[in-house]
Amino acid sequence: MRPVTQDRFPGRLAAAAAICLPGAYLGTADYLGLPHPGFPAVADAMVFGIAIVGAAFVLAWAAEAAQVDISAGLAIAVLAVVAVLPEYAVDLVFTYQAGQQFGEHGTCVSAEGGANPCSLALANMTGANRILVGFGWPLVVLVASISARRAARSSASTRPGRVSLAPTMSAEVVFLGIATLYSLTLPLRTSLTLLDAAIFVSIFAAYGWRLAKMPAEQPDLIGVAAWAGGKPAARRRTLVISMFVAAGLVILATAEHFAHSLVDTGQQIGVDEFLLVQWIAPLASESPELIVACLYAVRLKASHSLGTLLSSKVNQWTLLVGTIPVIFAISATTAHGLPIDTNQRLELLITAAQSLFAVSILVNLGLTTGGAATLFALFAVQFVASITMSPRFNEVLILVLSALYTALAAGQLLRRRRDCVRVVRDGLVRPFSELEHRDT
């Protein structure tokens, strides 16, 4: 049965388009040499950042509406990919700039004495991954718990103190685990190479192939997604494609300007640009997927909520990481990998260790309040320390937290070894038709 639709143009879609226009115009005018007003870097960062958030909402609605035409699992993966397109755009801007610097000077050390452009590319990626798991996942549990209490009833995906994943989400857990195991080798390297890119992209391709086998099901759409998804087939597909294209063009017009204005803002107000790129930029670019996940949780669909963020983590820890050395090689016109300095090796270490712990607490397809609190507490410690403490202290803290993440993960995996065997089998080979009928 097709979602109920309405003929009136949705006000939220109009509002999202409206907040996109200023940033889209300024970015396009700058590229084409058209007249446009000049603003301080702080104002530019806000205008372009708001445009990216608005575009990401349009992408999310389009991806939800696309569920009418593709399988549920693949739809969640598509939603996760498009929701993090702003993150991809911003990170790849920093990567391209790093490649230009390396191609011109043979090094990533900035001649002007600013932050290492190669480190900025990796900082944005590692920061985004840690925010998603350390802040996003606990946020879902909190919102789901509050929503369940307010509704005075339990949902199929929400138990007291626990958000459960459907058995069909085993694939996400398994492929995240595979990518994480490989990522643990990255801190031992001096560069992120095209071979790494091939491996990470192959993991993502295998993940997409596995999800494509999931049968289609009737989506439960609301708001803008229901309006678009309820149209007749030809109009629906045209509308969904148009929304994807329009939002993508907005992101292309604003992503580079947002990255530049963010760095300029840091320089002007005396805030370390590395911290801005690692924490503030990902917060802006990750906000749409966090909002989408919270909307699912408010609607008492906690399984979909956590599943969306889990799928986002999979594609960020595979496709995004794999794309970085490719863009760097194109920009620098060299097969040399993206250089990794000591600081970035530590950042990669703690990101991989956090990911390992995240996988270990999901092997029984559930995230408890205790697990969410642990994820948030460990993330908060490192986040606050990175802003307030000295670089030397942070290096020691990263090593300590990485060891703690790893030890906790080992304990969880040992305690849940039977769950590990089952989730691997379910995620890789068991038919989805069997998983759909299993009660979590």
Side-chain angles (χ1 to χ4, degrees), residues 70-226:
I70 60 178
S71 71
L74 189 58
I76 288 179
V78 169
L79 174 59
V81 169
V82 298
V84 296
L85 276 181
E87 172 58 33
Y88 276 71
V90 172
D91 201 8
L92 297 183
V93 165
F94 288 119
T95 302
Y96 190 82
Q97 293 171 348
Q100 290 183 316
Q101 172 76 21
F102 188 88
E104 183 177 353
H105 302 287
T107 178
C108 272
V109 177
S110 176
E112 289 78 17
N116 181 329
C118 292
S119 71
L120 293 182
L122 290 174
N124 191 257
M125 181 272 290
T126 55
N129 272 279
R130 299 216 292 278
I131 287 172
L132 188 63
V133 174
F135 177 74
W137 292 14
L139 179 64
V140 162
V141 175
L142 176 64
V143 174
S145 298
I146 294 174
S147 299
R149 290 195 189 98
R150 286 183 175 178
R153 62 184 176 86
S154 296
S155 73
S157 59
T158 306
R159 301 175 189 171
R162 174 187 168 93
V163 172
S164 298
L165 292 169
T168 52
M169 295 295 294
S170 299
E172 277 77 2
V173 177
V174 171
F175 282 99
L176 178 57
I178 294 171
T180 297
L181 290 176
Y182 183 77
S183 71
L184 290 171
T185 68
L186 298 183
L188 306 176
R189 318 285 189 77
T190 58
S191 63
L192 191 63
T193 67
L194 291 175
L195 176 61
D196 298 319
I199 292 173
F200 279 117
V201 172
S202 296
I203 295 172
F204 180 79
Y207 164 64
W209 176 80
R210 172 63 172 157
L211 290 188
K213 295 183 175 182
M214 182 180 292
E217 64 180 34
Q218 178 62 43
D220 180 18
L221 305 179
I222 62 171
V224 177

Side-chain angles (χ1 to χ4, degrees), residues 5 16 21 108 110 130 132 157 166 208 222 246 254 279 364 383 395:
T5 188
L21 287 177
C108 272
S110 176
R130 299 216 292 278
L132 188 63
S157 59
I222 62 171
T254 56
W279 301 124
N364 66 344
F383 174 78
E395 289 179 3

Side-chain angles (χ1 to χ4, degrees), residues 174-351:
V174 171
F175 282 99
L176 178 57
I178 294 171
T180 297
L181 290 176
Y182 183 77
S183 71
L184 290 171
T185 68
L186 298 183
L188 306 176
R189 318 285 189 77
T190 58
S191 63
L192 191 63
T193 67
L194 291 175
L195 176 61
D196 298 319
I199 292 173
F200 279 117
V201 172
S202 296
I203 295 172
F204 180 79
Y207 164 64
W209 176 80
R210 172 63 172 157
L211 290 188
K213 295 183 175 182
M214 182 180 292
E217 64 180 34
Q218 178 62 43
D220 180 18
L221 305 179
I222 62 171
V224 177
W227 172 78
K231 302 292 183 184
R235 291 176 59 191
R236 177 179 67 246
R237 290 164 188 164
T238 300
L239 179 60
V240 167
I241 292 173
S242 299
M243 291 169 68
F244 275 130
V245 171
L249 290 175
V250 171
I251 291 172
L252 287 176
T254 56
E256 182 176 5
H257 295 85
F258 175 67
H260 286 161
S261 59
L262 195 66
V263 172
D264 291 342
T265 298
Q267 293 173 343
Q268 291 179 11
I269 65 178
V271 176
D272 184 77
E273 59 188 281
F274 181 89
L275 294 178
L276 280 171
V277 170
Q278 184 172 44
W279 301 124
I280 305 303
L283 274 175
S285 56
E286 297 276 6
S287 59
E289 60 188 306
L290 295 178
I291 293 170
V292 170
C294 287
L295 289 175
Y296 272 129
V298 168
R299 292 161 57 189
L300 297 178
K301 291 190 172 184
S303 178
H304 285 73
S305 178
L306 181 57
T308 298
L309 294 189
L310 173 57
S311 192
S312 294
K313 171 62 177 176
V314 174
N315 78 69
Q316 283 192 183
W317 207 218
T318 54
L319 191 59
L320 177 57
V321 181
T323 306
I324 288 175
V326 175
I327 298 300
F328 179 83
I330 293 173
S331 177
T333 61
T334 178
H336 191 286
L338 176 77
I340 304 175
D341 60 21
T342 301
N343 182 53
Q344 287 310 300
R345 283 196 288 273
L346 290 173
E347 296 290 342
L348 287 167
L349 173 64
I350 192 171
T351 307

